[in-house]
Amino acid sequence: MKADNNCIVIFGASGDLTYRKLIPALYHLYKIGRLAESFSVLGVARSELSDDSFRQKMREALIDLEGASGEILDKFCNHLYYQAINTSDVVDYAKLLPRLDELHDKYGTGGNTLYYLSTPPSLYGVIPECLSAHGLTTEEFGWKRIIVEKPFGYDIETAKALDIQIHKYFEEHQIYRIDHYLGKETVQNLLVLRFSNGLFEPLWNRNFIDYVEITGAESLGVEERGGYYDGSGAMRDMFQNHLLQVLAMVAMEPPAIINANSMRDEVAKVLHSLHPLHKEDLKNNLVLGQYSAGSIEGKPVKGYLEEKGVPAESNTETYMAVRCQIDNWRWAGVPFYVRSGKRMPTRVTEVVIHFKTTPHPVFSQNAPDNKLIIRIQPDEGISMRFGLKKPGAGFEAKEVSMDFRYADLASPSLLTAYERLLLDAMKGDATLFARTDAVHACWNFVQPILDYKAERGRVYEYEAGTWGPAEANKLIAKHGKLWRKPSGQMKKKV
Ligand code: NDP
Ligand code: BG6
């Protein structure tokens, strides 16, 4: 299905996200015919750029990142426009009125406007207010929607305050809080795996599952984003949003139907059921770390404190591991071990469901516990690990695997996360966007962790290129287990 005709107004159009993700996503949608011909993009930021210089900059991004060329690139770039304004000065927003009128007239977009906030988060409350002051939020002529980038708040109080502020000018159905993990095919595939197969559902509960591991590991460091990252850390950057959303997909109940409300009702329910972690629990259930210099794939890399934009005495965590519990009938007593880190040995996001072992060992050598490994990225796929007889005399079991690689299903027009989410917002489908109650539930769960860290949380050092501080091993060892050490490739050599 194509997007509605509309004008996309990107605030922060001279920034990194627009360059690396948003414009490439829109280009790809255009190239595969998923954008209506009558769309336009109005880039907005303080930098003084003309339409032509903005087009030129975006063209370079597309050539560089997408290998774009030829007529399609030219035609796409002709849909791009730019208006410089001082984003925090309400008076300056008057400059948007004639530009938007001109674009809606030219492209017959009937006033449909999608605002994308890709500025520093301090402006996420200011921009809606300024738009409203100029009548740019009213839906009298065409729909008005607003996509808000992460982070949505800095803690529970600022998230609530931001919600109140945006809700003064936009209703909930107009607000699209983006979490790009929800746009990933393999995260959505978790739902299809769980809810379209009779095989898994009977086993998907405390009676058969011993524990769940969720890993979001990156081999990259903080790159050019040291300034932002140091105020955020792994808890806010990855756990509060991406990893809790993945946990919700693993743990939620089946929705009655797949639509924005019933899906998001189930997500919110499970997030509300997270067992609150208080100070006394955190001592035993949380490990934070920060990387020091080390090497990744044989190449030396700097420590976090040497990264650009990071204060020399920073105590920010680049690694976190936490043991969560869900207080409901399905999951009571099943630990969810969630970890995330920068400068790990490899980039891998995966969920591992560890099933309980047989009640009594019959053979002299049993296989390890049965596992379902859901590989979110890279080498996306699913691997089922179980025991079979080792060939030869006797009855010894060894672990074998049945592997499915997502690439076998992929069609050339598979959408990336930003493509999928931009398209959904243009179609008015909020299913894969975070609803206000879910965002608050995540912050409510994370807030005591942040408070604990601020008061007395210790941040352990780990060498870049390792799987985090040794203390994280103790966390899972309490359950008698070890963290999995996934490789970049999913497939196991049998
Ligand atoms: P950048 O710093 O690269 O860009 C910020 C943009 O905001 C620029 O276009 C800047 O342009 C504009 N801007 C407008 N007003 C201000 C102001 N008062 N102060 C500073 N800049 C202003 O940021 P990113 O593009 O990396 O990120 C944008 C948002 O998206 C952030 O909130 C970030 O957290 C989020 N995000 C980014 C990701 C990424 O990979 N980059 C990933 C996920 C989320 P100008 O100076 O011309 O006004
Ligand atoms: C972003 C974080 O939201 O997600 C980054 O700000 C992180 O720090 C990125 O690197 C990870 O996304 P992905 O899609 O590469 O797993």
Side-chain angles (χ1 to χ4, degrees), residues 105-122:
D105 277 356
K106 180 166 179 180
Y107 291 97
T109 27
N112 291 342
T113 314
L114 177 63
Y115 299 109
Y116 198 118
L117 305 192
S118 175
T119 60
S122 53

mmCIF file of all heavy atoms in Angstrom, residues 105-122:
data_model
loop_
_atom_site.group_PDB
_atom_site.id
_atom_site.type_symbol
_atom_site.label_atom_id
_atom_site.label_comp_id
_atom_site.label_asym_id
_atom_site.label_seq_id
_atom_site.Cartn_x
_atom_site.Cartn_y
_atom_site.Cartn_z
ATOM 1 N N ASP A 105 0.087 23.175 -2.646
ATOM 2 C CA ASP A 105 -0.543 23.531 -3.949
ATOM 3 C C ASP A 105 0.134 22.778 -5.083
ATOM 4 O O ASP A 105 -0.500 22.146 -5.915
ATOM 5 C CB ASP A 105 -0.379 25.034 -4.224
ATOM 6 C CG ASP A 105 -1.452 25.824 -3.517
ATOM 7 O OD1 ASP A 105 -2.321 25.173 -2.903
ATOM 8 O OD2 ASP A 105 -1.390 27.078 -3.566
ATOM 9 N N LYS A 106 1.460 22.844 -5.077
ATOM 10 C CA LYS A 106 2.222 22.259 -6.186
ATOM 11 C C LYS A 106 2.000 20.754 -6.294
ATOM 12 O O LYS A 106 1.900 20.193 -7.386
ATOM 13 C CB LYS A 106 3.710 22.572 -5.990
ATOM 14 C CG LYS A 106 4.590 22.012 -7.072
ATOM 15 C CD LYS A 106 5.958 22.625 -7.025
ATOM 16 C CE LYS A 106 6.822 21.993 -8.122
ATOM 17 N NZ LYS A 106 8.147 22.520 -8.147
ATOM 18 N N TYR A 107 1.945 20.078 -5.137
ATOM 19 C CA TYR A 107 1.873 18.607 -5.158
ATOM 20 C C TYR A 107 0.477 18.074 -4.863
ATOM 21 O O TYR A 107 0.291 16.855 -4.804
ATOM 22 C CB TYR A 107 2.877 18.015 -4.157
ATOM 23 C CG TYR A 107 4.303 18.237 -4.610
ATOM 24 C CD1 TYR A 107 5.054 19.292 -4.129
ATOM 25 C CD2 TYR A 107 4.885 17.391 -5.560
ATOM 26 C CE1 TYR A 107 6.347 19.509 -4.571
ATOM 27 C CE2 TYR A 107 6.178 17.601 -6.008
ATOM 28 C CZ TYR A 107 6.908 18.664 -5.510
ATOM 29 O OH TYR A 107 8.190 18.870 -5.957
ATOM 30 N N GLY A 108 -0.467 18.971 -4.653
ATOM 31 C CA GLY A 108 -1.842 18.528 -4.400
ATOM 32 C C GLY A 108 -1.926 17.641 -3.173
ATOM 33 O O GLY A 108 -2.588 16.596 -3.166
ATOM 34 N N THR A 109 -1.229 18.051 -2.102
ATOM 35 C CA THR A 109 -1.171 17.199 -0.913
ATOM 36 C C THR A 109 -2.265 17.520 0.092
ATOM 37 O O THR A 109 -2.277 16.958 1.202
ATOM 38 C CB THR A 109 0.229 17.265 -0.251
ATOM 39 O OG1 THR A 109 0.838 18.514 -0.554
ATOM 40 C CG2 THR A 109 1.110 16.186 -0.750
ATOM 41 N N GLY A 110 -3.156 18.416 -0.285
ATOM 42 C CA GLY A 110 -4.370 18.646 0.509
ATOM 43 C C GLY A 110 -4.104 19.020 1.955
ATOM 44 O O GLY A 110 -4.947 18.780 2.821
ATOM 45 N N GLY A 111 -2.941 19.544 2.247
ATOM 46 C CA GLY A 111 -2.651 19.968 3.625
ATOM 47 C C GLY A 111 -2.107 18.849 4.506
ATOM 48 O O GLY A 111 -1.710 19.091 5.650
ATOM 49 N N ASN A 112 -2.059 17.601 3.997
ATOM 50 C CA ASN A 112 -1.516 16.498 4.819
ATOM 51 C C ASN A 112 -0.049 16.773 5.136
ATOM 52 O O ASN A 112 0.768 16.935 4.217
ATOM 53 C CB ASN A 112 -1.566 15.165 4.062
ATOM 54 C CG ASN A 112 -2.975 14.671 3.862
ATOM 55 O OD1 ASN A 112 -3.892 15.126 4.544
ATOM 56 N ND2 ASN A 112 -3.162 13.747 2.933
ATOM 57 N N THR A 113 0.284 16.795 6.432
ATOM 58 C CA THR A 113 1.656 17.143 6.800
ATOM 59 C C THR A 113 2.174 16.216 7.888
ATOM 60 O O THR A 113 1.501 16.010 8.899
ATOM 61 C CB THR A 113 1.723 18.602 7.325
ATOM 62 O OG1 THR A 113 0.980 19.434 6.428
ATOM 63 C CG2 THR A 113 3.154 19.096 7.412
ATOM 64 N N LEU A 114 3.360 15.681 7.633
ATOM 65 C CA LEU A 114 4.020 14.829 8.630
ATOM 66 C C LEU A 114 5.240 15.585 9.143
ATOM 67 O O LEU A 114 6.177 15.835 8.380
ATOM 68 C CB LEU A 114 4.448 13.511 7.964
ATOM 69 C CG LEU A 114 5.218 12.528 8.844
ATOM 70 C CD1 LEU A 114 4.368 12.043 10.014
ATOM 71 C CD2 LEU A 114 5.658 11.314 8.004
ATOM 72 N N TYR A 115 5.212 15.967 10.410
ATOM 73 C CA TYR A 115 6.363 16.642 11.006
ATOM 74 C C TYR A 115 7.290 15.589 11.604
ATOM 75 O O TYR A 115 6.809 14.686 12.294
ATOM 76 C CB TYR A 115 5.918 17.608 12.108
ATOM 77 C CG TYR A 115 5.000 18.698 11.605
ATOM 78 C CD1 TYR A 115 3.646 18.705 11.950
ATOM 79 C CD2 TYR A 115 5.475 19.718 10.788
ATOM 80 C CE1 TYR A 115 2.794 19.696 11.492
ATOM 81 C CE2 TYR A 115 4.623 20.718 10.319
ATOM 82 C CZ TYR A 115 3.288 20.702 10.676
ATOM 83 O OH TYR A 115 2.452 21.679 10.211
ATOM 84 N N TYR A 116 8.561 15.709 11.364
ATOM 85 C CA TYR A 116 9.531 14.769 11.925
ATOM 86 C C TYR A 116 10.501 15.560 12.796
ATOM 87 O O TYR A 116 11.206 16.430 12.295
ATOM 88 C CB TYR A 116 10.288 14.039 10.793
ATOM 89 C CG TYR A 116 10.979 12.774 11.271
ATOM 90 C CD1 TYR A 116 10.623 11.535 10.757
ATOM 91 C CD2 TYR A 116 11.963 12.817 12.245
ATOM 92 C CE1 TYR A 116 11.227 10.359 11.214
ATOM 93 C CE2 TYR A 116 12.576 11.654 12.702
ATOM 94 C CZ TYR A 116 12.204 10.436 12.192
ATOM 95 O OH TYR A 116 12.803 9.285 12.645
ATOM 96 N N LEU A 117 10.521 15.255 14.102
ATOM 97 C CA LEU A 117 11.417 15.984 15.000
ATOM 98 C C LEU A 117 12.745 15.249 15.132
ATOM 99 O O LEU A 117 12.836 14.235 15.814
ATOM 100 C CB LEU A 117 10.782 16.151 16.386
ATOM 101 C CG LEU A 117 9.400 16.802 16.427
ATOM 102 C CD1 LEU A 117 9.024 17.170 17.855
ATOM 103 C CD2 LEU A 117 9.328 18.042 15.538
ATOM 104 N N SER A 118 13.756 15.769 14.457
ATOM 105 C CA SER A 118 15.085 15.160 14.493
ATOM 106 C C SER A 118 16.114 16.202 14.924
ATOM 107 O O SER A 118 17.171 16.344 14.342
ATOM 108 C CB SER A 118 15.411 14.590 13.106
ATOM 109 O OG SER A 118 16.719 14.110 13.081
ATOM 110 N N THR A 119 15.723 16.941 15.942
ATOM 111 C CA THR A 119 16.578 18.009 16.494
ATOM 112 C C THR A 119 17.096 17.540 17.846
ATOM 113 O O THR A 119 16.702 16.481 18.311
ATOM 114 C CB THR A 119 15.721 19.263 16.750
ATOM 115 O OG1 THR A 119 14.703 18.899 17.694
ATOM 116 C CG2 THR A 119 15.103 19.794 15.486
ATOM 117 N N PRO A 120 17.905 18.357 18.530
ATOM 118 C CA PRO A 120 18.188 18.014 19.928
ATOM 119 C C PRO A 120 16.854 17.886 20.684
ATOM 120 O O PRO A 120 15.915 18.652 20.443
ATOM 121 C CB PRO A 120 19.004 19.211 20.418
ATOM 122 C CG PRO A 120 19.641 19.762 19.177
ATOM 123 C CD PRO A 120 18.643 19.550 18.081
ATOM 124 N N PRO A 121 16.765 16.918 21.612
ATOM 125 C CA PRO A 121 15.503 16.654 22.308
ATOM 126 C C PRO A 121 14.954 17.853 23.077
ATOM 127 O O PRO A 121 13.742 17.918 23.313
ATOM 128 C CB PRO A 121 15.847 15.521 23.285
ATOM 129 C CG PRO A 121 17.182 15.035 22.924
ATOM 130 C CD PRO A 121 17.828 15.971 21.980
ATOM 131 N N SER A 122 15.817 18.796 23.429
ATOM 132 C CA SER A 122 15.324 19.975 24.158
ATOM 133 C C SER A 122 14.302 20.747 23.328
ATOM 134 O O SER A 122 13.551 21.569 23.855
ATOM 135 C CB SER A 122 16.497 20.894 24.506
ATOM 136 O OG SER A 122 17.226 21.184 23.321
#
